[in-house]
Amino acid sequence: MSRRDFLSQPAPENYVAGLGRGATGFTTRSDLGPAREGPSEDQIKAAVAKRSAQLGLTEAKDDDNEDDGRYQDPDNEVGLFAGGIYEKDDEEADRIWKEVDDRMAKRRQKQREAREEAERLEYERKNPKIQQQFAGLKRALETVTDEEWANLPDPKDLTGRTKRARQARMERFYAVPDSVLAAARDSGQFGTTVAEDGTATEGVNKDGTVTDFAKIGAARDKVLRARLEQQSQSSSVATAGSATSIDPKGYLTSLSSMQGAEQSIGDIEQFRKMLKSAVDSNPKQAASWIAAARLEIAAGKPGAARSLIAKGCEHCPKSEDIWLENIHLNDNRNAKVIAAQAIQANPHSVKLWVEAMKLENDPRSKKKVIRRALDHNQESEALWKEAVNLEEDVEDARILLAKATELIPESLDLWLALARLETPENARKVLNKAVKKLPNSHELWIAAARLEEQLGEGKKRPVMKNAVKFLAKQNAMPKREEWIAEAEKCEEEGAVITCSNIIEETLGWGLDEDDDRKELWMEDARASINRDKFATARAIYAYAIRVFPNSKSLYTAAIDLERNHGSKEDLWHALEKAVEACPHYEVFWLMLAREKAAEAGVDEARLVLARAFKQNPDSEDIWLAAVKLEADNGFIDKARELLKTARQNAPTDRVWMRSVAFERQQGDNEAAMDLVQQALQLFPSKPKLWMMKGQIYEDLAQLGPAREAYSTGVRAVPSSIPLWLLYSRLEEKAGNVVKARSVLDRARQAVPKSPELWTELIRVERRAGNLNQAKSLMAQALQQMPKSGLLWAERILNLEPRTQRKSLLAEAVKKVEDDPILLVTAARILWAERKLDRAQNWFEKALLLDRDVGDTWAWYYKFLVQHGTEEKRADLVAKCVLVDPRHGEEWTRVAKDPKNAGKKTDEVLKLVAETLS
């Protein structure tokens, strides 16, 4: 068979001409006759699928449903690489690229997370939740009293007012026929006829209902009876003869209780039926009888309750609870008879014997009952305790306790009571016997230690040491926290030596050297101090110092304890031990010298400083402390000589500054200038020396040399803000506002973001009368430093009108989180508005935030001078002296003025308060 040529062969099945090059069938106007319709979309898909199956390729996906390449799985590739083979090289490449991606993701991860966290916090701060916005108001609800809460007006219903008005307008009224009104009238009427026997018949209503007047009357009588019984038992209504006095405070309560009785009648009847059923079904259950009796008491029927409980005792004679309930429901006379019956039925019930004893009135009868009880219950600890408590003679009580400990040797309380009543020698014997009977009791050992303390041998006999060994051998050693609690208990009862012995022997129990023992013991001491157990804390510190003899933190904590809660002798003793253990730590020497100078005099302080010099010959702190001691006590020449020696032995910048300041305080500006010139040759980079030089020239009224000193200083130390401020103020004082502005501009270039420099520049413009320029500068400053409380305070107080202060203050508090200057500003604004309580609260908040700012103390003191009590002012001054603040714009200016040299903290506080305005 001959092969046909290509053009003569039939077309393959589903062949579409031109489909491979994208051409399909179409019809044009130039065609002669109708053109063949092209394949449909389904035919094209079927053809492509068949061809793909023949070639072994992956089935093509619909373009509409094709996923974005970004989301495709690289391990399941399609398209060009669908038929590729995944080799080891590909796996290695994928691993390397994955490591690169991971490394790139880790770069700047911390910075990125910190930035995201800051952005999140900033967003939450600017867009707080509703509950955060009302958090302050919710906390303020704590101060609302019950009376203010009750006086709150009811909210008006404003939401539905428009709807109700619209409904009222749409209401329509129609005339009702007379037949409807007549039927409504007759429906509520009823008739009553009297039969021949005189009884009333039941009323039949128009609608067919029947009214039973007999049941209505019975219900009314029951309600009235309940009210009368409730009223007769009410304590708020007292009747005497024909007169009735009503307690006005309990009148409403009485009425409400009567309403409750009326409403609870049905419930009482229901409960009564339920309890009756329970009693009838199981009469041997005492709880049902007791519940039924208590129900009758609640219903106001004590007679029925007594009757029920008596029946219950007959059915349950062995239940002590039902007998106790019967005793409580009867008066004293009947209760004694019932108690006798109960004891006869239950001779071994301790509760019944104790209850019978309480029913007796005279002590002799009580003793008689208890002794009869002991005959039947010789091993009852409660009965022996009652018998001992009834004895008035100590010897009789001792005999009873001796007998009780023989019968009940495992009772710790009886052994301890017997030891307390015995003589010291016999008490030791008793405790030794008790330890043999109760080898696991640590309370007996503590009692023995307290006994030795009472005999004056608490420090001689190692009772607690033996106790620890014995209890450890018995595996009965309590935990360390339990020993501390026992030590605090001994301290509370006056046994301080025993308390110390307990801590000494048990504080380190169960702790290894690897444990953080020092921090743990310091935490224990702080906890005891918070519970006002100072002797226990003192013992803990003493033990910890023996373990860590060179620990500065332990000595500091012990010194603080003695300073705040101990005597002067204890404080001196603690400081002496501290300087012996840490001789090269100057702080302890200075503390000891200050305490000696305050209490024992200058000579004792000199001796302390002399000892300190031997241990620390080159310490500038000790040298300066000696100078201050001599200067404060009027020994000027000696102080000058000490400074001269200190400049030779410890030539530090602080010693030279103190020397210059000392000569300025004495008024010798020439000597001060000579010293500052020498100091600047040694320490040219110390800004304080340049400031002192300029201030000395200012005191001498030599503005030119002062200007030269400040100018040279800012060139030598351009980062010193106080030096720039002094330079600017000198120019402003000389009338050179332009020069002062120029100085501050140079300062802001040297220290770009300094609130102090910006504030000074704004003040210069304000004092010069350029208020608009000051506001413009303030806007720039706040744009650079939006969280500066100093800038906000200057703007609120001096640049804006009073009407805008509140809104600005709210904005400032929102932007500036914690700044004492801004809090003081808020307090001053509230003070000006006569909101004194709130102003005082803001002053106290500022003090809690930063106690080292002296201006805050001065403003608060000025406030208390006008609106506080003498006691409050004295308390504030005492706290200020204790804190001894060192910072603050006005505080430093007054405190470092040579004229105020030697003044104490309380005097400086009052001077600063006088200068504030």
Side-chain angles (χ1 to χ4, degrees):
M1 179 178 175
S2 63
R3 181 180 176 86
R4 296 181 182 181
D5 59 345
F6 177 78
L7 295 178
S8 300
Q9 293 181 4
E13 185 180 0
N14 296 327
Y15 169 74
V16 179
L19 181 63
R21 49 190 172 83
T24 57
F26 58 93
T27 303
T28 63
R29 293 182 180 179
S30 62
D31 290 334
L32 299 175
R36 184 171 60 88
E37 184 179 2
S40 63
E41 186 177 356
D42 294 337
Q43 293 175 342
I44 294 175
K45 289 182 181 180
V48 171
K50 185 174 181 180
R51 185 61 177 171
S52 298
Q54 293 175 355
L55 295 177
L57 301 177
T58 306
E59 184 178 356
K61 295 184 179 179
D62 191 5
D63 293 342
D64 295 339
N65 298 327
E66 185 176 1
D67 292 337
D68 195 341
R70 293 174 298 172
Y71 308 111
Q72 291 182 357
D73 185 1
D75 296 333
N76 187 18
E77 294 176 334
V78 296
L80 181 62
F81 302 100
I85 300 174
Y86 192 73
E87 299 178 346
K88 290 186 178 181
D89 294 341
D90 299 326
E91 183 179 359
E92 180 69 16
D94 290 342
R95 185 184 62 79
I96 293 173
W97 279 111
K98 186 176 184 302
E99 291 179 356
V100 171
D101 292 340
D102 294 341
R103 185 173 181 83
M104 294 295 292
K106 289 181 180 179
R107 291 182 60 185
R108 301 184 178 274
Q109 182 178 7
K110 294 183 179 179
Q111 294 87 339
R112 183 175 66 255
E113 292 177 354
R115 186 183 69 255
E116 293 174 354
E117 180 68 15
E119 292 176 355
R120 185 183 65 80
L121 294 176
E122 182 69 16
Y123 177 79
E124 292 180 355
R125 187 178 64 82
K126 291 183 178 180
N127 304 278
K129 298 180 180 179
I130 297 297
Q131 60 182 8
Q132 295 176 351
Q133 296 179 12
F134 288 93
L137 297 176
K138 290 181 179 179
R139 285 194 297 269
L141 289 177
E142 297 177 353
T143 60
V144 178
T145 62
D146 294 340
E147 183 178 357
E148 293 174 346
W149 188 268
N151 292 333
L152 289 177
D154 295 333
K156 296 182 179 180
D157 185 10
L158 302 178
T159 56
R161 184 170 57 184
T162 306
K163 181 179 180 181
R164 289 195 300 270
R166 184 170 63 254
Q167 290 178 351
R169 289 194 303 268
M170 297 178 64
E171 285 184 354
R172 296 292 184 269
F173 296 95
Y174 301 95
V176 181
D178 295 342
S179 59
V180 175
L181 297 177
R185 179 197 62 192
D186 295 339
S187 62
Q189 294 181 355
F190 54 86
T192 303
T193 59
V194 180
E196 295 180 355
D197 57 356
T199 60
T201 61
E202 295 181 348
V204 180
N205 296 336
K206 297 294 185 180
D207 56 356
T209 59
V210 179
T211 303
D212 190 350
F213 297 102
K215 292 184 179 179
I216 291 177
R220 183 195 60 189
D221 294 342
K222 185 177 294 186
V223 172
L224 182 58
R225 188 183 308 111
R227 286 185 179 180
L228 291 176
E229 291 177 354
Q230 191 76 14
Q231 189 71 8
S232 64
Q233 295 181 356
S234 176
S235 60
S236 62
V237 179
T239 60
S242 60
T244 303
S245 60
I246 300 176
D247 181 12
K249 294 182 179 179
Y251 182 66
L252 294 177
T253 306
S254 176
L255 290 179
S256 63
S257 65
M258 288 190 294
Q259 293 175 0
E262 180 180 353
Q263 295 174 359
S264 62
I265 287 175
D267 296 337
I268 290 175
E269 288 292 340
Q270 184 178 0
F271 291 147
R272 185 180 285 120
K273 292 178 181 178
M274 293 170 59
L275 291 173
K276 187 177 184 303
S277 175
V279 167
D280 293 340
S281 61
N282 188 4
K284 298 297 182 181
Q285 186 178 5
S288 301
W289 291 101
I290 295 173
R294 290 180 179 176
L295 178 64
E296 297 300 334
I297 291 293
K301 297 182 177 181
R306 286 191 287 268
S307 177
L308 276 173
I309 206 68
K311 292 180 181 178
C313 291
E314 294 176 359
H315 288 86
C316 307
K318 296 299 182 181
S319 173
E320 63 179 10
D321 292 332
I322 197 169
W323 284 108
L324 290 173
E325 188 72 20
N326 196 359
I327 293 171
H328 294 157
L329 291 179
N330 286 271
D331 54 9
N332 188 270
R333 182 178 179 181
N334 295 330
K336 290 181 180 180
V337 177
I338 296 171
Q341 297 174 1
I343 291 173
Q344 187 176 2
N346 302 275
H348 299 290
S349 174
V350 176
K351 291 182 179 180
L352 291 176
W353 281 108
V354 173
E355 194 66 30
M357 182 268 295
K358 293 179 180 179
L359 293 175
E360 301 295 338
N361 297 324
D362 58 304
R364 184 177 179 181
S365 300
K366 291 178 181 288
K367 293 179 183 178
K368 184 178 179 181
V369 173
I370 285 296
R371 287 172 182 172
R372 290 183 60 189
L374 289 172
D375 292 338
H376 294 84
N377 304 274
Q378 294 184 356
E379 296 182 358
S380 173
E381 182 179 352
L383 289 176
W384 282 108
K385 288 181 179 179
E386 292 290 345
V388 173
N389 292 333
L390 290 175
E391 294 296 337
E392 299 176 357
D393 188 8
V394 178
E395 188 63 29
D396 294 339
R398 186 185 298 118
I399 294 172
L400 284 175
L401 284 171
K403 183 67 175 176
T405 53
E406 291 179 5
L407 295 173
I408 316 174
E410 67 277 2
S411 174
L412 174 64
D413 294 337
L414 293 177
W415 283 110
L416 293 177
L418 179 58
R420 283 193 291 268
L421 294 179
E422 290 286 358
T423 60
E425 293 298 330
N426 292 335
R428 288 175 178 170
K429 297 178 182 178
V430 169
L431 291 174
N432 289 332
K433 286 184 181 179
V435 169
K436 294 178 181 178
K437 299 294 183 181
L438 300 170
N440 297 335
S441 174
H442 64 279
E443 292 90 346
L444 291 172
W445 289 98
I446 295 175
R450 295 184 62 175
L451 176 63
E452 299 299 334
E453 181 179 357
Q454 292 174 5
L455 296 176
E457 299 182 1
K459 297 182 179 179
K460 298 179 182 179
R461 291 179 176 266
V463 177
M464 290 309 305
K465 186 175 182 179
N466 296 334
V468 172
K469 294 180 180 178
F470 184 82
L471 291 173
K473 188 177 180 180
Q474 297 290 330
N475 293 326
M477 188 69 177
K479 295 182 180 179
R480 196 175 56 86
E481 293 79 6
E482 297 179 14
W483 282 116
I484 294 176
E486 292 291 346
E488 293 180 352
K489 183 179 179 181
C490 291
E491 177 188 354
E492 186 176 357
E493 296 176 357
V496 179
I497 296 177
T498 304
C499 166
S500 178
N501 292 337
I502 291 173
I503 294 298
E504 182 178 356
E505 299 297 336
T506 63
L507 190 63
W509 180 260
L511 296 178
D512 299 329
E513 293 184 0
D514 297 336
D515 297 330
D516 196 358
R517 294 180 294 172
K518 184 170 70 171
E519 292 297 328
L520 185 61
W521 290 337
M522 291 183 69
E523 184 62 30
D524 292 337
R526 285 192 290 266
S528 296
I529 292 173
N530 293 334
R531 293 189 290 268
D532 295 335
K533 300 298 183 291
F534 306 119
T536 305
R538 188 177 293 113
I540 293 173
Y541 282 135
Y543 179 83
I545 286 172
R546 283 196 294 273
V547 178
F548 302 99
N550 298 321
S551 175
K552 298 175 184 177
S553 58
L554 282 174
Y555 277 110
T556 302
I559 291 169
D560 290 339
L561 172 64
E562 301 300 344
R563 179 184 290 112
N564 297 325
H565 307 289
S567 62
K568 290 295 180 183
E569 290 75 13
D570 294 335
L571 177 58
W572 291 348
H573 179 67
L575 285 169
E576 288 288 353
K577 293 180 65 176
V579 296
E580 290 176 5
C582 307
H584 300 294
Y585 189 55
E586 299 92 342
V587 176
F588 291 153
W589 288 107
L590 298 178
M591 287 183 182
L592 182 58
R594 184 167 59 248
E595 294 297 332
K596 290 288 186 179
E599 297 296 333
V602 182
D603 295 335
E604 292 290 333
R606 286 173 179 166
L607 293 176
V608 171
L609 291 175
R611 292 164 53 195
F613 277 128
K614 293 179 181 179
Q615 299 291 338
N616 306 277
D618 299 331
S619 174
E620 66 176 16
D621 291 329
I622 296 177
W623 280 105
L624 295 179
V627 171
K628 187 177 187 303
L629 176 66
E630 301 296 343
D632 291 346
N633 289 277
F635 300 98
I636 304 301
D637 295 336
K638 199 165 186 177
R640 185 178 284 113
E641 189 66 25
L642 283 172
L643 283 170
K644 183 178 179 180
T645 308
R647 290 196 298 272
Q648 296 174 358
N649 296 336
T652 63
D653 58 323
R654 285 186 61 201
V655 172
W656 281 96
M657 290 177 194
R658 185 69 184 90
S659 301
V660 176
F662 177 77
E663 297 299 340
R664 286 189 66 197
Q665 293 169 3
Q666 304 307 318
D668 193 351
N669 288 325
E670 294 182 0
M673 180 58 69
D674 183 50
L675 288 172
V676 79
Q677 293 286 8
Q678 299 179 38
L680 283 173
Q681 293 178 2
L682 298 173
F683 308 101
S685 61
K686 298 298 178 182
K688 273 195 173 183
L689 292 172
W690 292 105
M691 287 188 280
M692 285 182 170
K693 183 178 180 180
Q695 288 171 343
I696 293 172
Y697 279 126
E698 285 191 58
D699 295 340
L700 296 174
Q702 299 179 11
L703 299 183
R707 182 182 294 110
E708 181 64 24
Y710 290 142
S711 177
T712 308
V714 296
R715 287 197 297 271
V717 193
S719 60
S720 174
I721 296 174
L723 191 56
W724 284 106
L725 294 177
L726 287 175
Y727 190 10
S728 169
R729 289 167 186 170
L730 174 67
E731 298 295 348
E732 188 179 8
K733 186 191 299 182
N736 300 327
V737 178
V738 177
K739 187 66 180 292
R741 187 183 299 120
S742 175
V743 169
L744 289 173
D745 288 339
R746 289 166 52 197
R748 288 188 294 116
Q749 292 178 0
V751 188
K753 291 187 177 182
S754 171
E756 293 83 1
L757 293 175
W758 278 94
T759 304
E760 186 65 22
L761 180 59
I762 292 167
R763 289 174 180 173
V764 168
E765 299 295 345
R766 179 171 57 83
R767 288 192 289 262
N770 302 326
L771 191 60
N772 293 331
Q773 180 65 17
K775 291 183 178 180
S776 176
L777 289 171
M778 178 61 74
Q780 298 178 30
L782 288 177
Q783 188 174 5
Q784 295 184 18
M785 295 163 286
K787 295 185 178 182
S788 172
L790 180 62
L791 289 171
W792 279 105
E794 180 68 21
R795 179 186 179 186
I796 293 169
L797 293 176
N798 299 318
L799 295 183
E800 302 295 344
R802 291 178 177 270
T803 55
Q804 298 182 10
R805 284 183 175 180
K806 277 193 173 182
S807 58
L808 286 174
L809 182 61
E811 182 182 357
V813 171
K814 192 174 181 180
K815 291 185 177 181
V816 183
E817 296 178 356
D818 294 321
D819 193 290
I821 299 176
L822 186 60
L823 297 183
V824 171
T825 303
R828 291 172 60 187
I829 293 174
L830 294 170
W831 180 9
E833 295 178 354
R834 308 296 297 175
K835 298 178 180 179
L836 304 181
D837 293 338
R838 295 180 60 188
Q840 184 173 348
N841 291 336
W842 281 92
F843 277 126
E844 292 176 353
K845 287 180 181 179
L847 287 179
L848 290 175
L849 188 61
D850 191 352
R851 292 176 173 268
D852 198 43
V853 181
D855 291 359
T856 305
W857 292 96
W859 275 112
Y860 194 16
Y861 179 78
K862 186 173 183 178
F863 171 81
L864 292 178
V865 168
Q866 298 184 15
H867 306 289
T869 61
E870 184 65 31
E871 181 181 358
K872 190 73 174 177
R873 288 194 293 272
D875 182 57
L876 180 70
V877 171
K879 291 180 179 178
C880 182
V881 171
L882 184 63
V883 173
D884 192 17
R886 299 297 180 87
H887 297 88
E889 188 175 358
E890 289 296 326
W891 184 273
T892 54
R893 185 181 62 81
V894 174
K896 294 186 177 182
D897 193 341
K899 299 177 183 178
N900 301 325
K903 293 188 180 296
K904 298 181 179 180
T905 304
D906 55 342
E907 297 174 343
V908 175
L909 175 65
K910 295 176 183 178
L911 288 175
V912 176
E914 291 176 358
T915 61
L916 295 176
S917 60

